[in-house]
Amino acid sequence: MMASLYWVLGALAFLTGALARESTWGGLYPRESGSREVKSLDGFWNFRLAPLHDPLQGFREEWFSKPLCKTGSVITMAVPSSYNDITQDKALRDHVGWAWYDRTFYVPVRWQADKQRVVLRLGSAHYNSVIYINGVAVTSHEGGHLPIMAEMSSSLRFGKENLITVAINNTLTPSTIPQGNIVYRNDTTKYPPGYFEQQTDFDFFNYAGLHRPVYLYTTPQTYVDDILINTDIDGSAGIINYKIFAATSGIGPQTEDNVGCSVKLLDNEGDHITSAMGCIGTIKISNASLWWPYLMHSNPGYMYTLMVAVSDASGVLDLYPQKVGIRTLGWNSTTLTINNRPLYLRGCGRHEDSDIRGKGVDYPLIVKDFSLLKWLGANSFRTSHYPYAEEIMDMADQEGIMIVDESPAVDLKGFGKELMERHIAVMQELVRRDKNRPSVIMWSVGNEPRSNEPAAKDYFSNVVNATKAIDATRPVTCALSYPKNEEHAGSSLDVILVNRYFSWYSDTGHLELIYNQTVNEFTEWHLLHNKPVMISEYGAGTIAGFHMDPAFTWTEEYQAELMVENFKAFDTLRSKGFFTGEMIWNFADFATAMGFTRVAGNKKGIFTRNRQPKMSAHVLRSRYLSLAETSKKDVKSSLCFERYKP
Ligand code: GCB
């Protein structure tokens, strides 16, 4: 009889508990400096699935103890990439359970001679993972979209071949985030023995694998462990408040009694501007170049570099280059501001999704997507429905694209204590990863929770408060879907985000109803909560190349006309003073599980999956560019805003 997959997941703790410390902090992104080296482990790895009906075979037979090719057959797998769409094998595409990766690598002897600390860092691994170096578990991690880190100097063979093995399990259960269910079909007249299905409430394909770059990097034994940046403006001056956390391998956090800190501020051409001493400090720059969103300023996304150094009596030990965008956010009951100017978000919901690589980081795709966002005149997107790769976030910082940074808590239900603790831990990991990014203007604790459940009230109040406790500088939101008088999460939020599909999921075909329904409902949300409100999803499924006039569902005409009706409502709502943004669903068509409500994927993209525009992309571009023009003229600096004061 096949072991229950819930038990299999539970076994993870047993298998790794004694062996590996769980990784909870992904560390600063691996960057080279005068004291640090970075080595990529991306490329071709060996790969094997655990048998569907004997998921623990790899642990029992210790596949991690020698190269995978010695314990069975392997295929070549690309890293980073999802594994699902890489081959012609349906079993690989639809696999549920453990998958195994390995590869060999060398580390130079000089790293040992120089007494370097060596850290392994995976950008993410979906969903549960255990990581072994030379047959020894060095860390484990729960959660698919945030980094995993392990110090592993003592596990390495310097100057010799080393083996890294990663076991990954994509099973989603009621206690994972996001949640899922394993449903067993026991009717033997219809199903073979042990038959089960992975079910999820969300529609995007549950891609799995090593989705993001894998790096080894070095630091000295005493190193910069973390950096906290908060910025403000004072007239034309920019203020950078910084805090440096130093640590020593095997000892832990260091104080200024033992370790000194200093910083050098460089402009975006690398020229020195000023320096400061101390692990906590403030730098004031007269006539600062501020971080502005795209199309709000002629030089958007301006970033300084703060070269952070920790030192002891012998001199500088470690250097880390930290990018800094100077900007200040504000929000009150009607308005969001950046650098004291009102903001209107023109954006979209998105997915990390493309053919072949699934959710794998792909540099050409990232550049293409930002090129399309800028072509559209968009100034923002939501990382629906999970934290995106740091490489994407870097581009957003640099291009001046604002981010609503969302946790993987999509379609959450059954708001118990265990789930809440996991959710808070995920928010802490997310905030810790993205806290210094100027592009991140809001945290989203989730998407479309079943917030009609009464338990949602305390649950969301706790998750939101825990998020604010670690970052009070940004508003916290959640994309809601339940009717406003039946749901319990909205009262905890700073900004109300609502997903609405008038004339698609309700009153299908009746485009003429959109205007009134949208104006009425969003006005009522504002009146109920006295908060700024925005629409975080609206849209229509559209097959590129389908045309009918008069417009008919699934045609390009229908999508375009639905958008135009929404725009009329958004303009009315904007004139009322509390409507702070619009985000179409979706930037591009994306993969879903098979089903009869999706046509080979979700087709609500304004671009096709291979990033070609539908008619709707041109319609949206014309609106966003004209909104950008209006907002340039729309400077109201006399408003009084609740602002974070460091
Ligand atoms: C939603 C969800 C999104 C779906 C979308 C749809 O409300 O937030 O994840 O893809 O609807 O197309 O049904």
Side-chain angles (χ1 to χ4, degrees):
M1 179 58 194
M2 198 204 70
S4 142
L5 282 175
Y6 295 105
W7 179 80
V8 172
L9 275 176
L12 181 69
F14 161 75
L15 287 161
T16 62
L19 304 169
R21 242 175 343 126
E22 196 188 340
S23 163
T24 53
W25 163 224
L28 296 169
Y29 190 85
R31 301 203 191 276
E32 289 183 324
S33 73
S35 61
R36 292 176 172 229
E37 271 187 64
V38 178
K39 180 182 166 89
S40 168
L41 295 186
D42 292 352
F44 296 134
W45 289 51
N46 301 305
F47 180 87
R48 177 157 77 243
L49 294 179
L52 210 55
H53 298 300
D54 186 7
L56 294 182
Q57 185 186 355
F59 295 101
R60 216 176 44 244
E61 296 179 359
E62 302 194 344
W63 288 354
F64 47 84
S65 64
K66 49 177 95 130
L68 278 177
C69 64
K70 296 201 172 166
T71 51
S73 60
V74 291
I75 61 167
T76 299
M77 186 51 65
V79 173
S81 179
S82 301
Y83 58 69
N84 311 75
D85 291 347
I86 286 279
T87 73
Q88 313 321 113
D89 186 356
K90 178 179 179 306
L92 178 56
R93 186 190 65 197
D94 298 337
H95 181 69
V96 179
W98 290 99
W100 291 78
Y101 286 75
D102 84 2
R103 67 161 283 170
T104 54
F105 61 95
Y106 280 84
V107 280
V109 178
R110 77 187 141 74
W111 284 4
Q112 187 177 35
D114 293 349
K115 296 195 173 52
Q116 293 298 291
R117 173 178 165 263
V118 185
V119 183
L120 170 72
R121 191 179 190 276
L122 297 85
S124 73
H126 185 68
Y127 175 84
N128 273 301
S129 54
V130 192
I131 294 139
Y132 303 85
I133 298 291
N134 297 322
V136 176
V138 290
T139 194
S140 63
H141 188 259
E142 175 173 354
H145 311 275
L146 289 161
I148 305 164
M149 183 178 77
E151 184 172 334
M152 44 177 245
S153 323
S154 58
S155 315
L156 289 170
R157 299 181 196 128
F158 292 88
K160 298 200 176 115
E161 195 175 67
N162 291 271
L163 177 70
I164 175 170
T165 311
V166 182
I168 305 184
N169 192 330
N170 61 351
T171 310
L172 300 179
T173 73
S175 57
T176 60
I177 293 184
Q179 293 167 312
N181 266 303
I182 299 292
V183 177
Y184 294 91
R185 305 284 184 201
N186 298 324
D187 179 348
T188 51
T189 64
K190 290 187 178 166
Y191 303 98
Y195 188 90
F196 66 90
E197 285 164 21
Q198 167 78 76
Q199 293 184 348
T200 60
D201 286 343
F202 57 82
D203 71 341
F204 52 95
F205 193 90
N206 188 31
Y207 279 114
L210 294 179
H211 285 151
R212 298 180 185 166
V214 181
Y215 288 118
L216 285 181
Y217 68 92
T218 65
T219 74
Q221 293 298 318
T222 294
Y223 57 94
V224 181
D225 185 35
D226 202 1
I227 301 165
L228 176 62
I229 305 286
N230 281 315
T231 63
D232 203 352
I233 59 176
D234 180 8
S236 62
I239 296 164
I240 302 173
N241 298 294
Y242 70 86
K243 190 167 179 186
I244 299 161
F245 299 84
T248 300
S249 181
I251 295 177
Q254 287 283 12
T255 66
E256 266 187 278
D257 297 341
N258 305 321
V259 173
C261 305
S262 59
V263 296
K264 277 188 188 154
L265 189 71
L266 312 175
D267 68 15
N268 70 346
E269 290 174 357
D271 292 330
H272 180 255
I273 298 186
T274 185
S275 300
M277 301 293 289
C279 294
I280 300 180
T282 297
I283 297 175
K284 190 161 183 175
I285 310 149
S286 48
N287 291 320
S289 299
L290 302 185
W291 191 93
W292 285 104
Y294 176 58
L295 295 184
M296 209 164 168
H297 190 269
S298 55
N299 190 10
Y302 189 96
M303 304 272 277
Y304 294 88
T305 298
L306 194 68
M307 187 56 85
V308 171
V310 297
S311 45
D312 66 7
S314 66
V316 170
L317 301 170
D318 191 21
L319 289 163
Y320 188 86
Q322 173 64 53
K323 294 273 188 199
V324 178
I326 301 176
R327 55 113 180 93
T328 182
L329 297 173
W331 64 96
N332 61 14
S333 60
T334 56
T335 315
L336 283 170
T337 61
I338 191 160
N339 301 335
N340 300 331
R341 284 174 53 179
L343 262 185
Y344 186 74
L345 301 182
R346 313 178 299 269
C348 52
R350 296 186 54 196
H351 271 296
E352 289 182 311
D353 177 272
S354 79
D355 58 356
I356 304 169
R357 71 256 321 129
K359 293 199 181 304
V361 162
D362 181 85
Y363 291 102
L365 185 74
I366 293 174
V367 175
K368 177 72 174 178
D369 283 354
F370 277 87
S371 160
L372 289 174
L373 286 163
K374 290 167 72 177
W375 175 84
L376 277 177
N379 64 4
S380 55
F381 62 84
R382 177 166 64 114
T383 68
S384 41
H385 296 308
Y386 37 80
Y388 287 6
E390 289 153 283
E391 294 74 14
I392 296 175
M393 303 299 281
D394 282 350
M395 274 292 276
D397 283 339
Q398 177 184 314
E399 300 296 328
I401 299 292
M402 294 175 283
I403 303 289
V404 177
D405 205 355
E406 187 156 288
S407 87
V410 48
D411 292 305
L412 232 53
K413 58 189 175 200
F415 301 101
K417 187 163 178 283
E418 189 196 344
L419 191 71
M420 187 183 80
E421 282 166 1
R422 172 107 285 276
H423 198 162
I424 289 173
V426 169
M427 290 311 300
Q428 287 166 342
E429 279 183 59
L430 173 62
V431 173
R432 202 159 177 199
R433 190 193 77 163
D434 288 347
K435 62 188 178 298
N436 293 332
R437 295 189 177 278
S439 59
V440 175
I441 56 145
M442 222 186 291
W443 304 113
S444 167
V445 296
N447 180 72
E448 299 197 352
R450 305 288 178 261
S451 56
N452 59 331
E453 294 177 26
K457 190 164 176 58
D458 286 349
Y459 181 100
F460 278 95
S461 153
N462 289 337
V463 173
V464 168
N465 286 339
T467 307
K468 285 170 176 280
I470 38 175
D471 181 21
T473 71
R474 294 170 175 94
V476 179
T477 190
C478 180
L480 304 174
S481 62
Y482 274 83
K484 60 191 173 310
N485 294 321
E486 293 170 25
E487 77 86 45
H488 306 281
S491 54
S492 302
L493 309 176
D494 295 314
V495 182
I496 305 286
L497 266 60
V498 181
N499 299 345
R500 278 295 171 265
Y501 287 87
F502 294 131
S503 169
W504 185 258
Y505 287 128
S506 59
D507 300 305
T508 315
H510 291 280
L511 298 169
E512 73 281 7
L513 300 178
I514 290 174
Y515 177 83
N516 275 337
Q517 292 185 356
T518 307
V519 170
N520 291 340
E521 179 166 353
F522 282 79
T523 305
E524 287 162 14
W525 276 102
H526 172 67
L527 293 174
L528 180 65
H529 291 296
N530 197 28
K531 305 274 173 64
V533 172
M534 67 174 260
I535 188 160
S536 36
E537 288 183 24
Y538 69 101
T542 308
I543 313 278
F546 273 29
H547 291 281
M548 276 173 94
D549 186 70
F552 207 85
T553 46
W554 296 104
T555 65
E556 297 204 29
E557 283 77 7
Y558 193 87
Q559 187 184 34
E561 287 183 29
L562 177 141
M563 287 161 64
V564 169
E565 289 307 308
N566 270 284
F567 298 162
K568 289 181 198 161
F570 301 160
D571 286 340
T572 300
L573 288 164
R574 267 163 66 73
S575 70
K576 294 178 173 227
F578 57 80
F579 196 67
T580 53
E582 55 189 85
M583 291 194 176
I584 187 127
W585 190 258
N586 187 285
F587 173 72
D589 294 346
F590 59 90
T592 61
M594 281 191 262
F596 47 77
T597 59
R598 298 291 186 253
V599 192
N602 187 314
K603 294 288 189 276
K604 295 193 186 70
I606 55 164
F607 295 104
T608 61
R609 201 180 186 208
N610 65 356
R611 275 45 176 186
Q612 296 306 323
K614 299 180 190 171
M615 185 194 287
S616 53
H618 297 279
V619 173
L620 195 66
R621 176 169 195 254
S622 137
R623 172 168 177 82
Y624 280 2
L625 290 175
S626 88
L627 282 173
E629 272 309 304
T630 322
S631 79
K632 275 186 200 151
K633 295 176 205 137
D634 202 22
V635 184
K636 293 179 200 147
S637 50
S638 57
L639 298 172
C640 175
F641 297 107
E642 179 192 315
R643 289 212 357 237
Y644 167 74
K645 293 274 179 237

